[in-house]
Amino acid sequence: MKIHEKYINRCIQLAQNGLGTTYPNPLVGSVLTYKNSIIGEGWHQKAGGPHAEVNAIRAVKDQSLLKKATIYVSLEPCSHYGKTPPCSDLIIASGIKKVVIGIVDPFAKVKGKGIKKLLDAGCEVSVGILEDQCRELNKRFFTFHEKKRPYIILKWASTKNNFIAPLSKKERAPVWITNKYSRQLVHKWRSEEQAILVGTNTAVADNPKLNTRLWEGSNPVRILLDQNLRTPKDSALFDRSIKTIVITSQASRDSFTKNEIGKNELILEAIDFNKEIAPQIVEVLYTHELQSVIIEGGGKTLQTFIDSGLWDEARIFTGEAMFPEGVKAPEFNGKLAGEHNLLSDKLKIYIND
């Protein structure tokens, strides 16, 4: 069993290379071994491209070894036709008889069917190796398919005296609490998630772009929560450079649609603001097939998700800045999962336990 763990762990390492580029597909790594040596490995790099098993099999220089090899894969091989053929079929056609799988795929079109196909073909299949680690690797994918919602990350920065923003300022621009290294890390995070959400007050006060300009990577879908469409029409969020979803009231949606919304990457979705807001937002994001979202503010929006219990992870910076008065940081309870220093900034990671 230890040897299985060794190679599944390698699969996990390989799979992490695809973070941010495989949506809506999961992160998957695969390794082929012969006589306790790796003869091929690969990972899923981009949706629509070859899956991890395909890349690993192609990497084997001596294809005659496949019939004697063991294939390791962090997630159950697919069994259906999507943009690519089933990986389980390729494994069988390659003559590979030993298959070791980290965890069963939660996607309804797979979910045990790949394993059954392998078993029916006479393969020796082992399942459930480093299962917790494999689930953590694809926490976004599992949350989306099992809970029917995106994986929700809360993020904010607070001053030493626990404010996340000043009460007032002269211009529509962010007031930075953290240093440039923390800000770059946040842009890296944005490139790893499918969506990013802010509320009206943040959009009005800071005029954020919500892109990845400080990091190489894809821009997340921008989500704006704005009940009465108070955000100025010349705001960066309305520049149509990135797909943007505005969640508003039905009345506001109807009035705005008469003018210009609904074209060029700008979409309006209506919810009932007289009911609990967070579950409705989550439903909208699920409908748009967004597997993860970073909630970046402001305080009221963050607290809405906290009070609803709809969050999975919180990433909280504390900078050196001090405000004489301001907007208080959200109040929440979570399990501390990690602490880091970025020069003078402190970063704490919490999970909703």
Side-chain angles (χ1 to χ4, degrees):
M1 186 61 70
K2 292 295 183 183
I3 198 70
H4 287 351
E5 292 178 357
K6 172 184 175 180
Y7 292 121
I8 289 294
N9 186 61
R10 177 58 181 162
C11 291
I12 293 171
Q13 291 174 344
L14 291 165
Q16 289 169 337
N17 290 319
L19 183 56
T21 65
T22 67
Y23 293 116
N25 295 347
L27 301 169
V28 186
S30 182
V31 169
L32 278 146
T33 67
Y34 173 68
K35 292 186 176 179
N36 201 26
S37 294
I38 293 176
I39 58 172
E41 58 183 26
W43 69 91
H44 184 39
Q45 299 176 19
K46 187 177 182 179
H51 288 190
E53 300 94 321
V54 177
N55 287 329
I57 289 171
R58 287 177 179 174
V60 177
K61 292 181 178 179
D62 184 353
Q63 292 282 302
S64 68
L65 294 178
L66 291 175
K67 294 181 179 180
K68 307 171 187 176
T70 299
I71 189 167
Y72 292 83
V73 59
S74 54
L75 186 71
E76 177 183 2
C78 61
S79 55
H80 68 294
Y81 281 87
K83 292 183 178 179
T84 59
C87 290
S88 53
D89 286 359
L90 176 63
I91 292 170
I92 293 165
S94 298
I96 300 168
K97 292 299 183 183
K98 293 185 178 181
V99 185
V100 181
I101 299 167
I103 194 169
V104 175
D105 192 326
F107 183 39
K109 289 186 177 181
V110 183
K111 203 170 186 179
K113 297 181 181 70
I115 294 169
K116 183 178 186 302
K117 186 176 282 192
L118 292 167
L119 290 170
D120 288 347
C123 295
E124 178 187 326
V125 182
S126 299
V127 185
I129 311 300
L130 297 184
E131 197 166 10
D132 290 344
Q133 293 91 325
C134 290
R135 176 179 284 271
E136 174 65 19
L137 168 70
N138 276 304
K139 56 192 176 185
R140 300 159 182 84
F141 188 75
F142 275 87
T143 298
F144 184 80
H145 287 286
E146 292 180 343
K147 298 184 179 181
K148 309 303 179 186
R149 66 166 176 83
Y151 186 84
I152 300 169
I153 300 167
L154 309 179
K155 173 260 159 186
W156 69 85
S158 64
T159 62
K160 278 191 169 183
N161 52 345
N162 205 36
F163 293 123
I164 63 171
L167 283 182
S168 61
K169 53 188 179 179
K170 295 181 180 179
E171 56 184 29
R172 291 187 69 202
V175 175
W176 299 115
I177 293 172
T178 55
N179 62 45
K180 64 180 181 179
Y181 300 103
S182 296
R183 296 198 292 273
Q184 186 180 47
L185 177 59
V186 169
H187 283 236
K188 178 179 182 292
W189 289 344
R190 289 177 181 179
S191 75
E192 296 169 351
E193 311 306 333
Q194 275 199 287
I196 182 168
L197 184 150
V198 295
T200 311
N201 291 338
T202 297
V204 171
D206 293 351
N207 193 21
K209 295 181 176 67
L210 302 185
N211 58 20
T212 57
R213 59 194 178 277
L214 301 181
W215 193 264
E216 183 71 27
S218 299
N219 292 309
V221 175
R222 301 183 296 200
I223 315 294
L224 170 61
L225 179 63
D226 189 346
Q227 179 178 0
N228 298 310
L229 294 179
R230 291 194 293 110
T231 305
K233 300 301 185 292
D234 62 353
S235 298
L237 291 177
F238 294 145
D239 65 9
R240 290 170 168 78
S241 64
I242 304 168
K243 180 179 178 181
T244 302
I245 300 170
V246 182
I247 299 176
T248 187
S249 65
Q250 187 64 55
S252 294
R253 183 183 186 278
D254 291 343
S255 66
F256 208 101
T257 302
K258 292 175 183 177
N259 298 319
E260 56 184 333
I261 287 266
K263 59 183 180 180
N264 298 329
E265 300 297 316
L266 196 55
I267 300 167
L268 256 71
E269 295 282 6
I271 64 171
D272 187 346
F273 282 81
N274 293 316
K275 297 179 180 179
E276 194 174 1
I277 294 173
Q280 295 182 78
I281 295 172
V282 164
E283 186 175 348
V284 169
L285 301 188
Y286 181 76
T287 300
H288 283 270
E289 299 185 344
L290 297 169
Q291 291 184 14
S292 65
V293 61
I294 301 177
I295 313 292
E296 283 214 3
K300 184 178 179 181
T301 302
L302 287 160
Q303 197 66 55
T304 295
F305 279 84
I306 293 168
D307 292 345
S308 295
L310 277 173
W311 65 279
D312 298 289
E313 190 176 325
R315 302 172 181 179
I316 304 170
F317 292 96
T318 302
E320 288 287 288
M322 295 275 282
F323 297 154
E325 57 181 358
V327 179
K328 280 285 188 181
E331 297 180 0
F332 81 112
N333 290 311
K335 180 181 177 181
L336 183 64
E339 295 184 70
H340 310 275
N341 293 324
L342 290 92
L343 295 183
S344 58
D345 293 345
K346 308 290 184 183
L347 170 62
K348 291 185 177 181
I349 309 289
Y350 295 86
I351 56 174
N352 188 355
D353 199 33

